[in-house]
Amino acid sequence: MDLQDQLKNLFPDHEPEPDQHEEDPNDLGIWIQEDPLLCKYEKRKGKPITIIEGYTGADSDFKILSKELKKMLGVGGSFKKEQIIIQGDYRDKIMTFLKDKGFKVKRVGG
């Protein structure tokens, strides 16, 4: 028996108010744009990297997105010059993640 059931037993006539501040846990308030994000693959110093660019919203939103990507993939990366740089070739995983978030994504190169 959880807390809600116990409260119903104690107060059978009480109707809970709708929660007005209930938010989607996946929604971090990131602005979704109409133009597609570009997902590129490059090699720098012989090591593969994935670059995401083309975001026209606030830098803070793009940094949040960068942090989510790095955490989901379990890899390192950085945010520099309006680009997210992820270590390794994760274009497919990144593109599906961004599409699930609601972004349009365009694969560039290869």
Side-chain angles (χ1 to χ4, degrees), residues 5-23:
D5 293 333
Q6 292 176 0
L7 289 173
K8 285 180 187 177
N9 289 338
L10 289 173
F11 304 103
D13 297 334
H14 178 70
E15 291 294 323
E17 295 179 9
D19 199 10
Q20 296 175 352
H21 299 288
E22 188 174 320
E23 294 182 9

Side-chain angles (χ1 to χ4, degrees), residues 48-50 52 65-79 84-91 93-94:
I49 61 169
T50 305
I52 298 105
L65 191 62
S66 161
K67 186 175 179 180
E68 282 183 10
L69 281 169
K70 291 186 289 185
K71 187 174 181 180
M72 182 212 38
L73 296 169
V75 296
S78 64
F79 174 80
I84 296 175
I85 300 171
I86 303 290
Q87 296 173 353
D89 183 12
Y90 294 102
R91 286 177 290 181
K93 290 181 182 179
I94 291 172

